[in-house]
Amino acid sequence: MEFLESDDTLSVEDKLSSLSADLVSGEDIFLSRLFAYPPGIATDLDELCRSLEIELELQKVREEFQGKIVVTWIDYPNAEFQEYSAIILFLAESTFWNQIALYNKRLFDEKQ
């Protein structure tokens, strides 16, 4: 997993987008914690990242704005290409930032 470079020219939104992409693409513990919640339940991202390697990067980004970041997921059974079965939504209200990720939850379920 690649973490954010220490490039001060990146906006907070860019850093959050990079962080969320890292979480969805390669952090099985994060996904396991997220999918343990029922679909549609907003959960604090700090809680889902607790004790993970990426937690330090998250804390660095969190120093740049107030408010929390929440994440939730919903089923997406009618994906056009049948590759995705979940939508993961990240939201930081105080910055008006959000990120949506399509995720093949079926592959994750098969690992469990």
Side-chain angles (χ1 to χ4, degrees):
M1 183 180 323
E2 286 186 37
F3 296 120
L4 300 171
E5 295 180 23
S6 59
D7 184 351
D8 292 333
T9 62
L10 290 176
S11 69
V12 171
E13 291 83 2
D14 290 338
K15 292 175 184 178
L16 288 168
S17 294
S18 180
L19 188 74
S20 64
D22 286 343
L23 286 167
V24 171
S25 67
E27 189 56 73
D28 288 344
I29 296 172
F30 163 79
L31 292 168
S32 180
R33 290 175 181 175
L34 176 63
F35 292 139
Y37 286 92
I41 302 298
T43 307
D44 191 317
L45 183 61
D46 292 338
E47 177 183 324
L48 295 173
C49 291
R50 190 158 293 131
S51 302
L52 300 181
E53 188 177 347
I54 202 167
E55 183 179 27
L56 181 59
E57 276 311 310
L58 173 60
Q59 293 312 315
K60 287 179 186 175
V61 175
R62 298 278 293 113
E63 292 172 2
E64 298 185 35
F65 68 95
Q66 297 294 315
K68 64 182 178 179
I69 306 165
V70 295
V71 61
T72 190
W73 71 278
I74 58 173
D75 285 317
Y76 188 48
N78 297 323
E80 183 177 339
F81 299 107
Q82 299 303 314
E83 294 175 359
Y84 309 108
S85 60
I87 294 174
I88 300 174
L89 172 64
F90 295 84
L91 173 66
E93 277 188 56
S94 64
T95 64
F96 300 104
W97 171 84
N98 64 73
Q99 182 76 30
I100 296 174
L102 296 173
Y103 185 77
N104 188 341
K105 188 172 178 291
R106 284 178 238 133
L107 292 178
F108 176 81
D109 291 339
E110 289 171 6
K111 289 182 191 179
Q112 303 305 306

